[in-house]
Amino acid sequence: MAIPWLAIAAAASTGLTAFGQIQSGRFKAGEQINQAAFAANNAELIKVQALEDGTARDIQFKNDMSKNTNFLMAQSGRSYDPSIDAFLKSEKDIYATNKRRASVQSYLEHLSQKAESASLRAQAKNTIRSATVDAVGTLLKGGISAYKTKSKGGN
């Protein structure tokens, strides 16, 4: 019983198509994993940048407060002035509020990048699954087609 060349070519074509689907899925998943790593790296960089910015703001605020205190004391001519204390307390409260806002903003950016990273990793897994299912479907279609061809051919 001879195997027809057409059936061999069809089986090879089906196999190559399935292989191509899996490879394409693996490539897309690899890209998504790279993007996920990039997003995770960005999340950590945002965190570090927020710490550096916070430290710089603290130093700047302390310097400004020291200058303001010295200037206001020199202007009032007194060693203690309750109005200066009230002004400085108000400035500290404003600074604390701004610092909290900046902290929350950077934290939200950090969380956003982490969520994007997790989403991309999940997409990569789904891409692999989808490619595998597509490849299995292609192999099944090819097998059914070969079976129908064999049935019709009478071999």
Side-chain angles (χ1 to χ4, degrees), residues 66-82:
S66 177
K67 289 176 191 174
N68 286 341
T69 303
N70 292 338
F71 176 74
L72 293 172
M73 291 293 187
Q75 288 294 320
S76 73
R78 294 183 266 175
S79 61
Y80 176 76
D81 188 341

Side-chain angles (χ1 to χ4, degrees), residues 84-133:
I84 293 173
D85 280 349
F87 171 76
L88 295 176
K89 182 182 179 323
S90 172
E91 288 298 307
K92 287 178 184 177
D93 290 345
I94 291 169
Y95 175 73
T97 300
N98 290 340
K99 185 175 180 178
R100 278 192 301 276
R101 285 181 185 151
S103 177
V104 168
Q105 179 64 32
S106 63
Y107 183 68
L108 291 175
E109 289 174 12
H110 172 75
L111 287 181
S112 173
Q113 287 295 312
K114 286 185 79 159
E116 181 180 348
S117 176
S119 173
L120 287 167
R121 284 192 305 275
Q123 285 178 12
K125 288 178 184 176
N126 289 336
T127 298
I128 292 285
R129 288 181 188 127
S130 176
T132 302
V133 168

Side-chain angles (χ1 to χ4, degrees), residues 4-85:
W5 289 105
L6 185 58
I8 292 173
S13 172
T14 300
L16 288 174
T17 300
F19 178 75
Q21 287 170 325
I22 289 175
Q23 290 303 99
S24 174
R26 289 177 66 197
F27 178 76
K28 287 177 187 173
E31 285 180 337
Q32 290 166 332
I33 288 170
N34 286 341
Q35 290 172 353
F38 183 73
N41 190 38
N42 278 348
E44 292 307 310
L45 290 175
I46 288 170
K47 194 172 164 181
V48 169
Q49 184 66 43
L51 291 173
E52 288 178 0
D53 289 347
T55 301
R57 275 192 307 273
D58 287 345
I59 291 169
Q60 184 65 42
F61 178 73
K62 287 176 185 172
N63 288 341
D64 290 347
M65 288 300 286
S66 177
K67 289 176 191 174
N68 286 341
T69 303
N70 292 338
F71 176 74
L72 293 172
M73 291 293 187
Q75 288 294 320
S76 73
R78 294 183 266 175
S79 61
Y80 176 76
D81 188 341
S83 65
I84 293 173
D85 280 349

